[in-house]
Amino acid sequence: MKLLEDRIRRDGRVKAGNVLKVDSFLNHQLDIDLYNEMGKEFRRLFPSDNITKLLTIEASGIGIACIAAQYFHVPVVFAKKSQSINLDGSVYAARVQSFTHGRIYDVIVSEKFLSPADHVLILDDFLANGCAVSGLIELVESAGASIEGVGIAVEKGFQEGGRLLREKGIRVESLAIVESMDADTGEIRFRR
Amino acid sequence: MKLLEDRIRRDGRVKAGNVLKVDSFLNHQLDIDLYNEMGKEFRRLFPSDNITKLLTIEASGIGIACIAAQYFHVPVVFAKKSQSINLDGSVYAARVQSFTHGRIYDVIVSEKFLSPADHVLILDDFLANGCAVSGLIELVESAGASIEGVGIAVEKGFQEGGRLLREKGIRVESLAIVESMDADTGEIRFRR
């Protein structure tokens, strides 16, 4: 998606340790006009009328999923990252290792909000090693629901998450795939 | 806001310990049509053209703020709940005590995204003791920015947060104010 690639080139910052900072428009300060264009593009990429839920994970995925949901006309469910005392009842849970934050956490969704009748599109802001998305897929599978696909804003194509998911036969659509980036020059190359 | 009160009456659940569960439409599974009506109502309540940013806090406030931002045409900034290695540079920070989760945490916003020129509308899903909102106000004040007001989806009117904020002269608009609720009967009364 050229609009997103251009924005990443303009406002993204490459930091040491394979960190791509897009916090001025994507995941700390949020450009809602850009989010709307991303939402329309996710709908174009996943036009199926079978989709019944958008599933994402707190925190950065929530805004992307909410804006996109306006084009899908289905509810958003966001997985929570740790047990909350307000989450009573039974939950689906999966364990996730975050490389960004260097810790292990549980992702949890109430059983009330995923059922075998659901066809789920997973949305998130970043795909790197794929651990968060794999956790979400595990939740969907635990519910006996179907996975319609995975929509990502920015995929780090030089990390293995996207490849591993696609090899499993899951449809992954990333609006921008970073092929390589250089913290010294600031250069960012996208996959064509 | 009658639409929200009706929805809380229909789908909200009162639990022991003054817990009001609205997770089927407001803060775990999200009804985006309802969110849009809430966004329009926030805009009606805060019509000022001075507003430059919507500030909220992860996680449940993000969706509400993103949908509302479409009616304000300004960016959303969400405060993060703990230090992340991806949040480099200088940050504004405030300490918050969460009664719901029984813990103390820091709320953090990058200095890049709040400046003295900003006029900030704070949005969040719940207002009870007001600790989270007070933390956000502290961040805005640290930046030398102006507070245009506080918009809340559901205020627990029987807890002190709303009163304390209004006594400080801050304009607080809550779309539904729960006057009392009863975990035994399930009854919920709203402030008129």
Side-chain angles (χ1 to χ4, degrees):
Chain A
M1 186 189 182
K2 184 169 186 309
L3 183 73
L4 181 59
E5 292 180 0
D6 289 348
R7 188 64 175 273
I8 293 168
R9 276 213 186 82
R10 195 185 82 190
D11 294 333
R13 296 288 175 272
V14 183
K15 303 278 181 179
N18 277 335
V19 173
L20 175 62
K21 284 184 68 73
V22 289
D23 59 353
S24 65
F25 57 98
L26 198 73
N27 55 15
H28 186 14
Q29 178 170 261
L30 317 179
D31 179 335
I32 303 301
D33 291 337
L34 175 66
Y35 269 41
N36 261 300
E37 295 305 318
M38 289 163 47
K40 285 179 208 170
E41 181 67 4
F42 282 131
R43 184 54 171 156
R44 192 185 68 79
L45 293 165
F46 294 101
S48 167
D49 288 332
N50 291 334
I51 295 166
T52 61
K53 296 266 167 76
L54 301 187
L55 176 66
T56 188
I57 183 167
E58 63 179 4
S60 309
I62 296 174
I64 292 170
C66 284
I67 297 292
Q70 298 176 124
Y71 303 97
F72 288 88
H73 306 290
V74 299
V76 169
V77 175
F78 71 84
K80 308 201 176 199
K81 277 187 178 163
S82 63
Q83 186 71 46
S84 153
I85 60 165
N86 264 0
L87 255 184
D88 64 356
S90 298
V91 297
Y92 302 114
R95 186 141 289 187
V96 169
Q97 177 156 17
S98 165
F99 288 89
T100 315
H101 299 87
R103 64 189 182 92
I104 292 173
Y105 57 90
D106 290 318
V107 291
I108 294 164
V109 166
S110 168
E111 284 186 8
K112 291 184 291 185
F113 304 132
L114 284 179
S115 81
D118 277 320
H119 290 254
V120 179
L121 175 63
I122 293 170
L123 293 181
D124 205 1
D125 59 337
F126 262 93
L127 175 64
N129 290 284
C131 297
V133 169
S134 294
L136 295 178
I137 289 171
E138 197 179 323
L139 298 179
V140 175
E141 289 173 342
S142 299
S146 307
I147 294 162
E148 289 282 325
V150 175
I152 299 292
V154 184
E155 177 178 341
K156 289 174 166 171
F158 51 88
Q159 289 183 250
E160 65 182 4
R163 183 179 57 79
L164 293 175
L165 292 170
R166 292 180 182 103
E167 281 176 3
K168 283 185 194 166
I170 292 166
R171 182 165 169 209
V172 181
E173 297 283 359
S174 300
L175 304 186
I177 302 180
V178 177
E179 194 68 84
S180 66
M181 53 189 203
D182 188 319
D184 294 326
T185 64
E187 192 194 6
I188 301 168
R189 288 200 314 117
F190 293 99
R191 186 175 298 172
R192 287 279 68 85
Chain B
M1 186 187 182
K2 186 169 184 306
L3 183 72
L4 181 59
E5 293 181 359
D6 289 348
R7 188 62 176 274
I8 293 168
R9 276 212 186 83
R10 194 185 82 189
D11 292 333
R13 296 286 175 272
V14 184
K15 302 277 181 179
N18 277 336
V19 172
L20 175 61
K21 284 185 68 72
V22 290
D23 59 353
S24 65
F25 57 98
L26 198 72
N27 55 16
H28 186 15
Q29 180 170 259
L30 317 178
D31 179 335
I32 303 302
D33 291 336
L34 175 66
Y35 269 40
N36 262 299
E37 294 306 317
M38 290 163 47
K40 287 180 206 169
E41 181 68 4
F42 282 129
R43 184 55 171 155
R44 192 185 68 79
L45 292 164
F46 295 100
S48 168
D49 287 333
N50 291 333
I51 295 166
T52 60
K53 295 267 168 78
L54 302 187
L55 176 65
T56 190
I57 182 167
E58 61 179 6
S60 309
I62 297 174
I64 291 170
C66 284
I67 296 293
Q70 299 175 124
Y71 303 97
F72 288 87
H73 305 288
V74 299
V76 170
V77 175
F78 71 85
K80 307 200 176 200
K81 278 186 177 163
S82 64
Q83 187 70 48
S84 154
I85 59 163
N86 264 0
L87 256 184
D88 64 355
S90 299
V91 297
Y92 302 114
R95 186 141 288 189
V96 168
Q97 176 156 18
S98 165
F99 288 90
T100 315
H101 299 87
R103 65 190 181 93
I104 292 172
Y105 57 90
D106 291 318
V107 291
I108 295 164
V109 166
S110 168
E111 284 185 8
K112 291 183 291 183
F113 305 131
L114 284 178
S115 82
D118 277 319
H119 291 254
V120 179
L121 175 62
I122 292 171
L123 294 182
D124 205 2
D125 59 336
F126 262 92
L127 175 63
N129 290 286
C131 297
V133 168
S134 295
L136 295 178
I137 289 170
E138 198 179 323
L139 298 179
V140 175
E141 290 173 342
S142 300
S146 307
I147 293 162
E148 289 282 324
V150 175
I152 299 291
V154 184
E155 177 179 340
K156 288 174 167 173
F158 52 88
Q159 288 181 254
E160 66 182 6
R163 182 178 59 76
L164 294 174
L165 292 171
R166 291 180 183 102
E167 281 176 5
K168 282 186 194 165
I170 292 167
R171 179 162 172 214
V172 181
E173 299 283 358
S174 299
L175 304 186
I177 302 180
V178 177
E179 195 67 86
S180 66
M181 54 189 202
D182 187 319
D184 294 326
T185 64
E187 193 193 7
I188 302 168
R189 287 199 315 115
F190 293 98
R191 187 175 298 172
R192 288 279 68 85

